[in-house]
Amino acid sequence: MTSFWQGILSILERYGSSLLLGVRTTLIVSLTGTIFGLILGLAVGGLRAAKLDYTASPAARILKKLFDILANIYITVFRGTPMMVQAVFFYYALLDVIHWSPMVAAIFVISINTGAYMAEIVRSGIQAVDIGQTEAARSLGLSNTQTMMQVVLPQAIRNAFPAIGNEFIVNIKDSSVLMIISITELMFQSKSIAGSTFLFTETYFIEAMIYLFLTTVASLILNYIEKRMNRPKMSLPQSVTDPKNVNYIKESEQKGGNSDYAAR
Amino acid sequence: MPLVEIENIHKRFGSLEVLKGVDFHVNEGEVVCLIGRSGSGKSTLLRCINLLEKPDDGGIRVFGEDILHTKDVNAYRAKVGMCFQQFNLFSNLDVLQNCVMPQMKVLKKSKEEAVKTALYYLNKVGMADFAGASVQTISGGQKQRVAIARSLCMEPKLMLFDEPTSALDPEMVSEVLNVMKQLASDGLTMIVVTHEMGFAREVADRVVFMDKGVIEEEGTPEKLFTNPDSDRTREFLNVIG
């Protein structure tokens, strides 16, 4: 047993920096992939959940129908095939066309893969927002887009935040499959270390502990953000909402104010 | 000239015909209460007026404009306020922001101007002290008063109320009705779907009884409540009386 811990120590000593490099790449790929995936998911999921009312033109209807079909194919394909397969396929298929680096390819693949999941998360988040919110916004004269951006999406994102955060945690772990296109993330680095030291158990034990550490810290941060989001906040300056500043209104009311209804 | 003129509108949801040819008008400055059983079509009629539902047939003119063929539905809706049974305050915004955001987005007002108007109307409904409160933390009656203020901020020429007190605890009904009475005495044109017969009797200029998708009877509150012409009106008033 002592040799196990000795092995661990010697790996950390000799390969600590390459492990850290792996952690860095893993974090870059999973974080950018989650962010781009979320943006993609907001666009696709938002448009999929959008309902056209009777004022929409026939052309808009056809476009929407077409978009729904394409979005459906996208989601089915990217949720229905392994990310590892998507990585090798896109990397080699596009290599001759755009000569991209494995790192760019990795971020591309993890982004569109995450986007497919995010689209469904966002769509269900939007559908969970009470229809009354939309009706109230429309009755005040907000357009379809304004209603979506000002009222529905902020609530949908808040509702879906745990699921969105979960995608980040999944990405920290699942980016390990992107070693297949030889980006130097944590799995790739561990595999090289294990290959040169022959200390397989020790190396992969360290790797597992690092992944566990990363996901634990990530979920703590996500929990913190979630708590903050749910805390009622005042985003207008205190001076505006402070009751003692309301005096000028009372004065204007006494002067007759803007009682602009037609007199009976 | 009537502010709202509705001619023979029909509305179907699938095979269910909710409005079966309704003719209805409201004059400027008038307060009209729509009463009737659940499913009689009164809410649907109200929702047709601000185009949350589009009638299948018939015509609606509001402010002299044929709204079923209007180019800019949003500009039209901004002139018609609506209050809902479930308040529908935007839960991602606080009380003041609920009143400020629509003014900025729809009327393109500056933030300072919008805040000033918002505080004026929040003060009018007695909610200015809650401007910074989250909408989750205030009571139902307070929510409905904020919802009324939010609509008033758009300075509408017509207000629609869809059972504004039906989701409230009994002790909160009067605070909302008092605000509505105040609006009525200011001369605002109002159409109110309600089960509050006391309010209808006291405030309405005209009461409209709807039954099975048509207007069964309409008249002054005194006439309709004390001596209705129709047996069905009498029957309804006896049941709820």
PDB file of all heavy atoms in Angstrom, chain B residues 39-59:
ATOM      1  N   GLY B  39     -68.310  30.539 -18.258  1.00  0.00           N
ATOM      2  CA  GLY B  39     -68.544  29.930 -19.566  1.00  0.00           C
ATOM      3  C   GLY B  39     -69.590  30.653 -20.394  1.00  0.00           C
ATOM      4  O   GLY B  39     -69.922  30.209 -21.488  1.00  0.00           O
ATOM      5  N   SER B  40     -70.077  31.782 -19.891  1.00  0.00           N
ATOM      6  CA  SER B  40     -71.100  32.494 -20.662  1.00  0.00           C
ATOM      7  C   SER B  40     -70.475  33.347 -21.761  1.00  0.00           C
ATOM      8  O   SER B  40     -71.171  33.899 -22.591  1.00  0.00           O
ATOM      9  CB  SER B  40     -71.946  33.363 -19.729  1.00  0.00           C
ATOM     10  OG  SER B  40     -71.118  34.285 -19.053  1.00  0.00           O
ATOM     11  N   GLY B  41     -69.143  33.486 -21.740  1.00  0.00           N
ATOM     12  CA  GLY B  41     -68.469  34.208 -22.819  1.00  0.00           C
ATOM     13  C   GLY B  41     -68.011  35.609 -22.450  1.00  0.00           C
ATOM     14  O   GLY B  41     -67.468  36.315 -23.290  1.00  0.00           O
ATOM     15  N   LYS B  42     -68.210  35.998 -21.178  1.00  0.00           N
ATOM     16  CA  LYS B  42     -67.876  37.386 -20.829  1.00  0.00           C
ATOM     17  C   LYS B  42     -66.369  37.652 -20.877  1.00  0.00           C
ATOM     18  O   LYS B  42     -65.938  38.683 -21.385  1.00  0.00           O
ATOM     19  CB  LYS B  42     -68.491  37.790 -19.484  1.00  0.00           C
ATOM     20  CG  LYS B  42     -68.270  36.815 -18.354  1.00  0.00           C
ATOM     21  CD  LYS B  42     -69.169  37.129 -17.178  1.00  0.00           C
ATOM     22  CE  LYS B  42     -68.667  36.446 -15.901  1.00  0.00           C
ATOM     23  NZ  LYS B  42     -68.408  34.996 -16.033  1.00  0.00           N
ATOM     24  N   SER B  43     -65.555  36.696 -20.391  1.00  0.00           N
ATOM     25  CA  SER B  43     -64.105  36.898 -20.466  1.00  0.00           C
ATOM     26  C   SER B  43     -63.618  36.880 -21.913  1.00  0.00           C
ATOM     27  O   SER B  43     -62.734  37.663 -22.279  1.00  0.00           O
ATOM     28  CB  SER B  43     -63.367  35.811 -19.680  1.00  0.00           C
ATOM     29  OG  SER B  43     -63.451  36.078 -18.307  1.00  0.00           O
ATOM     30  N   THR B  44     -64.191  35.996 -22.704  1.00  0.00           N
ATOM     31  CA  THR B  44     -63.800  35.920 -24.113  1.00  0.00           C
ATOM     32  C   THR B  44     -64.122  37.224 -24.832  1.00  0.00           C
ATOM     33  O   THR B  44     -63.317  37.729 -25.620  1.00  0.00           O
ATOM     34  CB  THR B  44     -64.519  34.741 -24.801  1.00  0.00           C
ATOM     35  OG1 THR B  44     -64.258  33.558 -24.055  1.00  0.00           O
ATOM     36  CG2 THR B  44     -64.030  34.557 -26.228  1.00  0.00           C
ATOM     37  N   LEU B  45     -65.296  37.791 -24.527  1.00  0.00           N
ATOM     38  CA  LEU B  45     -65.671  39.071 -25.126  1.00  0.00           C
ATOM     39  C   LEU B  45     -64.635  40.143 -24.773  1.00  0.00           C
ATOM     40  O   LEU B  45     -64.157  40.889 -25.634  1.00  0.00           O
ATOM     41  CB  LEU B  45     -67.064  39.485 -24.631  1.00  0.00           C
ATOM     42  CG  LEU B  45     -67.561  40.869 -25.086  1.00  0.00           C
ATOM     43  CD1 LEU B  45     -67.673  40.927 -26.598  1.00  0.00           C
ATOM     44  CD2 LEU B  45     -68.922  41.174 -24.442  1.00  0.00           C
ATOM     45  N   LEU B  46     -64.239  40.154 -23.484  1.00  0.00           N
ATOM     46  CA  LEU B  46     -63.259  41.141 -23.028  1.00  0.00           C
ATOM     47  C   LEU B  46     -61.919  40.933 -23.739  1.00  0.00           C
ATOM     48  O   LEU B  46     -61.269  41.886 -24.162  1.00  0.00           O
ATOM     49  CB  LEU B  46     -63.078  40.986 -21.513  1.00  0.00           C
ATOM     50  CG  LEU B  46     -62.507  42.179 -20.762  1.00  0.00           C
ATOM     51  CD1 LEU B  46     -63.502  43.316 -20.756  1.00  0.00           C
ATOM     52  CD2 LEU B  46     -62.163  41.783 -19.329  1.00  0.00           C
ATOM     53  N   ARG B  47     -61.507  39.659 -23.855  1.00  0.00           N
ATOM     54  CA  ARG B  47     -60.206  39.358 -24.474  1.00  0.00           C
ATOM     55  C   ARG B  47     -60.210  39.668 -25.971  1.00  0.00           C
ATOM     56  O   ARG B  47     -59.160  39.963 -26.539  1.00  0.00           O
ATOM     57  CB  ARG B  47     -59.833  37.894 -24.215  1.00  0.00           C
ATOM     58  CG  ARG B  47     -59.505  37.640 -22.735  1.00  0.00           C
ATOM     59  CD  ARG B  47     -59.504  36.162 -22.409  1.00  0.00           C
ATOM     60  NE  ARG B  47     -58.480  35.450 -23.166  1.00  0.00           N
ATOM     61  CZ  ARG B  47     -57.214  35.315 -22.760  1.00  0.00           C
ATOM     62  NH1 ARG B  47     -56.840  35.810 -21.599  1.00  0.00           N
ATOM     63  NH2 ARG B  47     -56.348  34.674 -23.495  1.00  0.00           N
ATOM     64  N   CYS B  48     -61.396  39.605 -26.587  1.00  0.00           N
ATOM     65  CA  CYS B  48     -61.492  39.994 -28.003  1.00  0.00           C
ATOM     66  C   CYS B  48     -61.224  41.484 -28.169  1.00  0.00           C
ATOM     67  O   CYS B  48     -60.683  41.909 -29.189  1.00  0.00           O
ATOM     68  CB  CYS B  48     -62.868  39.666 -28.569  1.00  0.00           C
ATOM     69  SG  CYS B  48     -63.088  37.917 -28.967  1.00  0.00           S
ATOM     70  N   ILE B  49     -61.600  42.275 -27.154  1.00  0.00           N
ATOM     71  CA  ILE B  49     -61.468  43.726 -27.303  1.00  0.00           C
ATOM     72  C   ILE B  49     -60.002  44.147 -27.378  1.00  0.00           C
ATOM     73  O   ILE B  49     -59.660  45.070 -28.086  1.00  0.00           O
ATOM     74  CB  ILE B  49     -62.221  44.466 -26.170  1.00  0.00           C
ATOM     75  CG1 ILE B  49     -63.715  44.169 -26.270  1.00  0.00           C
ATOM     76  CG2 ILE B  49     -61.975  45.984 -26.228  1.00  0.00           C
ATOM     77  CD1 ILE B  49     -64.551  44.724 -25.152  1.00  0.00           C
ATOM     78  N   ASN B  50     -59.104  43.450 -26.656  1.00  0.00           N
ATOM     79  CA  ASN B  50     -57.698  43.831 -26.863  1.00  0.00           C
ATOM     80  C   ASN B  50     -56.937  42.778 -27.676  1.00  0.00           C
ATOM     81  O   ASN B  50     -55.712  42.723 -27.637  1.00  0.00           O
ATOM     82  CB  ASN B  50     -56.992  44.184 -25.560  1.00  0.00           C
ATOM     83  CG  ASN B  50     -56.596  42.975 -24.764  1.00  0.00           C
ATOM     84  OD1 ASN B  50     -57.014  41.868 -25.071  1.00  0.00           O
ATOM     85  ND2 ASN B  50     -55.781  43.180 -23.756  1.00  0.00           N
ATOM     86  N   LEU B  51     -57.701  41.983 -28.391  1.00  0.00           N
ATOM     87  CA  LEU B  51     -57.144  41.067 -29.401  1.00  0.00           C
ATOM     88  C   LEU B  51     -56.305  39.940 -28.818  1.00  0.00           C
ATOM     89  O   LEU B  51     -55.494  39.338 -29.521  1.00  0.00           O
ATOM     90  CB  LEU B  51     -56.323  41.831 -30.441  1.00  0.00           C
ATOM     91  CG  LEU B  51     -57.091  42.903 -31.239  1.00  0.00           C
ATOM     92  CD1 LEU B  51     -56.150  43.673 -32.147  1.00  0.00           C
ATOM     93  CD2 LEU B  51     -58.204  42.262 -32.056  1.00  0.00           C
ATOM     94  N   LEU B  52     -56.467  39.641 -27.506  1.00  0.00           N
ATOM     95  CA  LEU B  52     -55.838  38.417 -27.003  1.00  0.00           C
ATOM     96  C   LEU B  52     -56.515  37.210 -27.648  1.00  0.00           C
ATOM     97  O   LEU B  52     -55.928  36.145 -27.783  1.00  0.00           O
ATOM     98  CB  LEU B  52     -55.935  38.330 -25.477  1.00  0.00           C
ATOM     99  CG  LEU B  52     -54.952  39.214 -24.698  1.00  0.00           C
ATOM    100  CD1 LEU B  52     -55.207  39.107 -23.196  1.00  0.00           C
ATOM    101  CD2 LEU B  52     -53.503  38.860 -25.000  1.00  0.00           C
ATOM    102  N   GLU B  53     -57.775  37.387 -28.023  1.00  0.00           N
ATOM    103  CA  GLU B  53     -58.458  36.410 -28.881  1.00  0.00           C
ATOM    104  C   GLU B  53     -58.914  37.157 -30.115  1.00  0.00           C
ATOM    105  O   GLU B  53     -59.316  38.316 -30.042  1.00  0.00           O
ATOM    106  CB  GLU B  53     -59.706  35.819 -28.198  1.00  0.00           C
ATOM    107  CG  GLU B  53     -59.501  35.277 -26.814  1.00  0.00           C
ATOM    108  CD  GLU B  53     -58.695  33.994 -26.776  1.00  0.00           C
ATOM    109  OE1 GLU B  53     -58.430  33.419 -27.862  1.00  0.00           O
ATOM    110  OE2 GLU B  53     -58.306  33.587 -25.676  1.00  0.00           O
ATOM    111  N   LYS B  54     -58.868  36.460 -31.236  1.00  0.00           N
ATOM    112  CA  LYS B  54     -59.401  37.082 -32.451  1.00  0.00           C
ATOM    113  C   LYS B  54     -60.749  36.455 -32.781  1.00  0.00           C
ATOM    114  O   LYS B  54     -60.844  35.240 -32.913  1.00  0.00           O
ATOM    115  CB  LYS B  54     -58.454  36.867 -33.624  1.00  0.00           C
ATOM    116  CG  LYS B  54     -58.867  37.744 -34.789  1.00  0.00           C
ATOM    117  CD  LYS B  54     -58.046  37.528 -36.013  1.00  0.00           C
ATOM    118  CE  LYS B  54     -58.410  38.609 -37.019  1.00  0.00           C
ATOM    119  NZ  LYS B  54     -57.883  38.319 -38.338  1.00  0.00           N
ATOM    120  N   PRO B  55     -61.776  37.287 -32.888  1.00  0.00           N
ATOM    121  CA  PRO B  55     -63.080  36.726 -33.224  1.00  0.00           C
ATOM    122  C   PRO B  55     -63.059  36.082 -34.611  1.00  0.00           C
ATOM    123  O   PRO B  55     -62.319  36.508 -35.495  1.00  0.00           O
ATOM    124  CB  PRO B  55     -64.022  37.927 -33.188  1.00  0.00           C
ATOM    125  CG  PRO B  55     -63.203  39.121 -32.977  1.00  0.00           C
ATOM    126  CD  PRO B  55     -61.804  38.733 -32.688  1.00  0.00           C
ATOM    127  N   ASP B  56     -63.874  35.016 -34.781  1.00  0.00           N
ATOM    128  CA  ASP B  56     -63.919  34.346 -36.084  1.00  0.00           C
ATOM    129  C   ASP B  56     -64.723  35.159 -37.073  1.00  0.00           C
ATOM    130  O   ASP B  56     -64.554  35.041 -38.275  1.00  0.00           O
ATOM    131  CB  ASP B  56     -64.536  32.952 -35.925  1.00  0.00           C
ATOM    132  CG  ASP B  56     -63.704  32.102 -34.987  1.00  0.00           C
ATOM    133  OD1 ASP B  56     -62.482  32.044 -35.187  1.00  0.00           O
ATOM    134  OD2 ASP B  56     -64.279  31.509 -34.052  1.00  0.00           O
ATOM    135  N   ASP B  57     -65.633  35.958 -36.540  1.00  0.00           N
ATOM    136  CA  ASP B  57     -66.567  36.649 -37.417  1.00  0.00           C
ATOM    137  C   ASP B  57     -67.050  37.916 -36.721  1.00  0.00           C
ATOM    138  O   ASP B  57     -67.028  37.982 -35.500  1.00  0.00           O
ATOM    139  CB  ASP B  57     -67.770  35.715 -37.669  1.00  0.00           C
ATOM    140  CG  ASP B  57     -68.368  35.957 -39.040  1.00  0.00           C
ATOM    141  OD1 ASP B  57     -67.936  36.913 -39.708  1.00  0.00           O
ATOM    142  OD2 ASP B  57     -69.266  35.189 -39.416  1.00  0.00           O
ATOM    143  N   GLY B  58     -67.435  38.888 -37.495  1.00  0.00           N
ATOM    144  CA  GLY B  58     -67.961  40.119 -36.912  1.00  0.00           C
ATOM    145  C   GLY B  58     -66.937  41.235 -36.918  1.00  0.00           C
ATOM    146  O   GLY B  58     -65.826  41.064 -37.416  1.00  0.00           O
ATOM    147  N   GLY B  59     -67.321  42.382 -36.389  1.00  0.00           N
ATOM    148  CA  GLY B  59     -66.436  43.541 -36.429  1.00  0.00           C
ATOM    149  C   GLY B  59     -66.286  44.212 -35.078  1.00  0.00           C
ATOM    150  O   GLY B  59     -67.206  44.195 -34.265  1.00  0.00           O
TER     151      GLY B  59
END
